[in-house]
Amino acid sequence: EPEVTQTPSHQVTQMGQEVILRCVPISNHLYFYWYRQILGQKVEFLVSFYNNEISEKSEIFDDQFSVERPDGSNFTLKIRSTKLEDSAMYFCASSQNTNSYEQYFGPGTRLTVT
Amino acid sequence: DQQVKQNSPSLSVQEGRISILNCDYTNSMFDYFLWYKKYPAEGPTFLISISSIKDKNEDGRFTVFLNKSAKHLSLHIVPSQPGDSAVYFCAARGAISSGSARQLTFGSGTQLTVLP
């Protein structure tokens, strides 16, 4: 069964450094998403991406965040200058098309900012 | 922001019995609801969903009920199995007209433990 994959599984970085989290969505899916879950808190929406542009974003997704689909398979989330409060699990998800509401999640990347 | 609420952080049931997980929402613009299951160190796994125009959807052992007037939905698992032990998240999607049709709003989750 096709699945969303994410790399790395765990990333440790120092405050102020840039990080790039990588995702490979399910191959025939057209919509891509990033969510995060801070320890002990809810899963929160960050951004959705379709047709090479952002379709929706939350208040969390400020100027330090960016997303990109650099090729036909990868979808990345970049955090330009990490802060301690960026420490969280970051989940990538994808969905098939406009009429498909189910989003399929990857296993997540645990980001630890020290 | 408590648009989707799961008031029970945990639930324990005996194997073979019914598990009922509850979820309440406040945003009347939500038009689609989903349940996800999550094991430790894994991402949420889609289980079952329901459109706001329906009041029930069934898939094998899993049934979701929606009471739109009460802004309440529930997930029934019958019979419950030890492998069902996980955190269950309720999530909701906004209507196209709301401008938030592509984002899921999650509840805080309920830890289900099925005892053998």
Side-chain angles (χ1 to χ4, degrees), chain B residues 32-94:
Chain B
Y32 203 80
F33 303 90
L34 307 92
W35 283 95
Y36 285 84
K37 176 170 76 172
K38 186 180 181 302
Y39 294 116
E42 293 185 13
T45 301
F46 170 72
L47 266 180
I48 192 169
S49 59
I50 188 166
S51 165
S52 60
I53 62 173
K54 295 187 174 182
D55 55 17
K56 179 182 174 181
N57 187 27
E58 192 171 352
D59 183 2
R61 296 186 298 114
F62 302 92
T63 303
V64 56
F65 295 92
L66 176 62
N67 182 333
K68 202 174 172 183
S69 61
K71 294 190 174 68
H72 176 83
L73 62 156
S74 60
L75 173 68
H76 292 211
I77 307 173
V78 56
S80 301
Q81 301 171 354
D84 296 329
S85 297
V87 178
Y88 287 77
F89 291 98
C90 170
R93 192 204 78 136

Side-chain angles (χ1 to χ4, degrees), chain A residues 30 32 49-55 67-71 74:
Chain A
L30 301 178
F32 315 114
F49 191 85
Y50 170 71
N51 200 24
N52 281 318
E53 60 182 28
I54 291 173
S55 52
V67 288
E68 191 179 27
R69 188 154 164 82
D71 53 44
N74 289 283

Side-chain angles (χ1 to χ4, degrees), chain A residues 5-75:
Chain A
T5 59
Q6 290 185 243
T7 54
S9 57
H10 191 190
Q11 174 89 48
V12 181
T13 189
Q14 287 192 325
M15 194 167 53
Q17 296 296 303
E18 174 184 287
V19 294
I20 298 176
L21 310 183
R22 291 182 167 79
C23 168
V24 178
I26 295 172
S27 63
N28 64 341
H29 284 191
L30 301 178
Y31 289 86
F32 315 114
Y33 313 85
W34 284 100
Y35 290 80
R36 78 173 186 191
Q37 186 178 28
I38 295 172
L39 188 63
Q41 298 187 22
K42 293 184 178 183
V43 176
E44 301 173 289
F45 170 79
L46 293 178
V47 66
S48 63
F49 191 85
Y50 170 71
N51 200 24
N52 281 318
E53 60 182 28
I54 291 173
S55 52
E56 292 175 20
K57 61 181 182 179
S58 71
E59 292 176 353
I60 302 167
F61 194 87
D62 61 22
D63 290 345
Q64 71 161 339
F65 291 92
S66 62
V67 288
E68 191 179 27
R69 188 154 164 82
D71 53 44
S73 59
N74 289 283
F75 179 52

